[in-house]
Amino acid sequence: MGNALDAVLKPAWHRQRRLLLQWAAVAQTAWLPAFNAVARPLLRNEESTAMSDPTGHDGRHDFDFLHGQWRIRNERLAQRLAGSTDWEIFGATQLCQPLLGGLGNVDDFVSDWTRPGVDGRFIGMTLRLFNPETRQWSIYWAGNHDGVLEPPMVGAFEQGAGTFFGDAEHEGRPIRVRFVWNQVSANTAHWQQAFSSDGGASWETNWHMWFRRTDGNGRLLHDDGVIELRQYTLHPGRRDELIDLFDREFVEPQEAVGMHVIGQFRDLDHADRFVWMRGFADMPVRAEALAGFYGGPTWQKHRNAANATMIDSDNVLLLRPARKDSGLPPASQERPAVGATHEPAGLFEAGICLLDAPAEDGFLQRFEAQLAPRLRAAGADVAGLYVTDASENTFARLPVREGEQVLVWFARFDSVHAHDHYEQALVADEGWRTAIAQALLRGLREPPQRLRLAPTARSELRA
């Protein structure tokens, strides 16, 4: 993919073969539906997952996840094989359609990047073809700088990751090229390119493409199978400073690499506490997304300013929806744009129940039967219910609270005044007091901690 942008010189004998392949690609795509049709996302439990699948399928559907439309964040080294640390960042969109009854696909790549000295955005296309005999994919790339398909990258998927190799030239010298596809979920994927000038003994990764699936209106689609509830203790008087930095610099770059920034809040009862939540499709995607962000150019540029506001950032609960349908619902409106200053009037309550045992061992059922009805009767709109995800932390650089079992509810309120009425109703509710007393005897270690959370101007989650 990246060879085109480098205007790499290729041996003349490749040209005729490429032109034939290009003609074949055009012939195949001529009858396809328009590219604005969006293919159904591949589900993880369907047969077409990886060529090593024990069901025996051969890998011909391993790129099905790519069908549909995507928004892409590109992080590309400005200079290759030169020890550069200067990354160019630009956006792109992509539409991908299947070919040959599933034996291939083709996409167009429309970027915001402009080649030096050339008017107009760079546009590319990729043709991928599967060989049933070798069980390998060949990946051909072309760009609007010359309209020629490059020699193929060849490889396959194994255990959810695809690795592909090829030969090229860079600034007149032969190199090996490697593509890696991973972080594949219903709505995310990660492609990276690396060059080697020593026959594969060492590699320099020079391009990342972070894929996020979009709907028909261009909005990102999210799958929050795992979430983090993060509570930061800040230096006195510096909360607004961190919020301004976070809302301006950290929302879109995190989402671009595979996360979902669900919401960010001021804790109304602690002037120096910042609370926020982010979601991930699963734990492997979490590891890849966190590595992409915290190892990427945005965090490197702003981390010192962010860290300077913080006393402690390790109060983190790793959670998953208590039941299939108990997660927070998708936002009904788009997140306000960068620079927004209007803060919504409503607030959220996060109720944290610290437990003696996993919630599934009985407390979850008792909460739903005895405590949740009292919360609703007092005026709470319970919007989400989560329990501890006991998975091993897949990104050790960011600690989480391990060895604890919790149940967390999220409830929304139209205003601080509405929450005050709710508080008064709970205090007066003998049924609530009785339910808490019984819970303290049966799994609840202490009365629930309840956080009053006011959304920031750019929080997606709002009342």
Side-chain angles (χ1 to χ4, degrees), residues 97-152:
Q97 287 276 55
L99 289 172
L100 302 174
L103 281 182
N105 62 53
V106 63
D107 65 51
D108 68 344
F109 171 88
V110 181
S111 78
D112 300 335
W113 185 77
T114 301
R115 298 180 71 240
V118 177
D119 293 332
R121 299 184 295 175
F122 181 81
I123 300 173
M125 67 159 282
T126 307
L127 172 66
R128 303 176 186 86
L129 297 172
F130 181 76
N131 185 327
E133 293 185 2
T134 64
R135 297 190 177 187
Q136 289 191 313
W137 286 86
S138 295
I139 302 175
Y140 304 88
W141 167 260
N144 62 346
H145 69 296
D146 65 3
V148 174
L149 286 170
E150 296 184 354

Side-chain angles (χ1 to χ4, degrees), residues 372-384:
R374 307 316 309 164
L375 295 173
R376 295 188 176 97
D381 176 10
V382 179

Side-chain angles (χ1 to χ4, degrees), residues 142-181:
N144 62 346
H145 69 296
D146 65 3
V148 174
L149 286 170
E150 296 184 354
M153 301 287 292
V154 179
F157 278 77
E158 187 172 356
Q159 297 181 347
T163 306
F164 306 85
F165 293 95
D167 295 305
E169 291 184 0
H170 176 68
E171 296 182 348
R173 52 178 168 162
I175 59 169
R176 287 286 283 166
V177 183
R178 181 182 68 196
F179 293 174
V180 175
W181 280 96

Side-chain angles (χ1 to χ4, degrees), residues 3-4 7-14 18 150-151 167-169:
N3 307 338
V8 177
L9 296 175
K10 304 293 192 303
W13 63 268
H14 281 304
R18 293 185 218 158
E150 296 184 354
D167 295 305
E169 291 184 0

Side-chain angles (χ1 to χ4, degrees), residues 269-281:
D269 298 307
H270 297 273
D272 299 314
R273 182 177 291 163
F274 173 61
V275 179
W276 64 291
M277 295 185 290
R278 61 185 170 192
F280 312 85

Side-chain angles (χ1 to χ4, degrees), residues 95-419:
L95 292 166
C96 181
Q97 287 276 55
L99 289 172
L100 302 174
L103 281 182
N105 62 53
V106 63
D107 65 51
D108 68 344
F109 171 88
V110 181
S111 78
D112 300 335
W113 185 77
T114 301
R115 298 180 71 240
V118 177
D119 293 332
R121 299 184 295 175
F122 181 81
I123 300 173
M125 67 159 282
T126 307
L127 172 66
R128 303 176 186 86
L129 297 172
F130 181 76
N131 185 327
E133 293 185 2
T134 64
R135 297 190 177 187
Q136 289 191 313
W137 286 86
S138 295
I139 302 175
Y140 304 88
W141 167 260
N144 62 346
H145 69 296
D146 65 3
V148 174
L149 286 170
E150 296 184 354
M153 301 287 292
V154 179
F157 278 77
E158 187 172 356
Q159 297 181 347
T163 306
F164 306 85
F165 293 95
D167 295 305
E169 291 184 0
H170 176 68
E171 296 182 348
R173 52 178 168 162
I175 59 169
R176 287 286 283 166
V177 183
R178 181 182 68 196
F179 293 174
V180 175
W181 280 96
N182 55 6
Q183 201 201 27
V184 173
S185 72
N187 299 314
T188 67
H190 177 206
W191 172 89
Q192 53 189 302
Q193 173 184 270
F195 286 175
S196 174
S197 59
D198 54 15
S202 63
W203 294 91
E204 176 191 75
T205 299
N206 55 49
W207 197 349
H208 295 271
M209 287 187 184
W210 302 93
F211 286 71
R212 293 302 312 272
R213 190 179 297 279
T214 59
D215 64 14
N217 297 316
R219 294 182 63 182
L220 296 183
L221 297 174
H222 301 294
D223 177 12
D224 298 331
V226 179
I227 75 166
E228 296 173 349
L229 174 59
R230 310 185 66 87
Q231 300 181 58
Y232 290 0
T233 301
L234 309 180
H235 291 288
R238 304 195 69 174
R239 182 166 68 181
D240 286 347
E241 178 184 345
L242 178 60
I243 288 173
D244 289 344
L245 177 63
F246 190 103
D247 281 3
R248 184 180 68 250
E249 303 290 351
F250 292 158
V251 176
E252 283 76 12
Q254 288 189 83
E255 295 204 325
V257 300
M259 310 182 208
H260 176 204
V261 180
I262 299 169
Q264 53 270 29
F265 311 91
R266 292 176 173 86
D267 186 328
L268 295 183
D269 298 307
H270 297 273
D272 299 314
R273 182 177 291 163
F274 173 61
V275 179
W276 64 291
M277 295 185 290
R278 61 185 170 192
F280 312 85
D282 54 32
M283 292 299 286
V285 168
R286 175 180 179 268
E288 186 83 8
L290 293 177
F293 177 72
Y294 290 103
T298 298
W299 180 248
Q300 302 305 313
K301 181 178 180 179
H302 298 289
R303 64 180 178 182
N304 290 340
N307 288 334
T309 68
M310 302 177 195
I311 296 174
D312 173 56
S313 60
D314 294 346
N315 185 354
V316 181
L317 290 171
L318 195 60
L319 307 169
R320 58 177 175 79
R323 301 195 186 281
K324 183 178 179 180
D325 59 351
S326 73
L328 289 160
S332 59
Q333 299 180 4
E334 289 194 41
R335 177 187 290 110
V338 173
T341 58
H342 176 71
E343 296 183 353
L347 64 84
F348 273 80
E349 176 180 88
I352 302 173
C353 299
L354 189 59
L355 309 177
D356 289 328
E360 300 88 334
D361 289 355
F363 185 83
L364 172 59
Q365 292 80 359
R366 290 194 294 275
F367 176 88
E368 292 173 323
Q370 300 168 15
L371 295 175
R374 307 316 309 164
L375 295 173
R376 295 188 176 97
D381 176 10
V382 179
L385 187 61
Y386 293 80
V387 298
T388 295
D389 189 309
S391 302
E392 181 181 356
N393 183 9
T394 53
F395 195 73
R397 281 176 56 189
L398 296 183
V400 300
R401 288 164 56 177
E402 297 181 284
E404 298 184 40
Q405 296 293 333
V406 300
L407 177 145
V408 180
W409 78 79
F410 294 97
R412 52 175 129 223
F413 299 86
D414 292 336
S415 64
V416 173
H417 183 66
H419 189 271

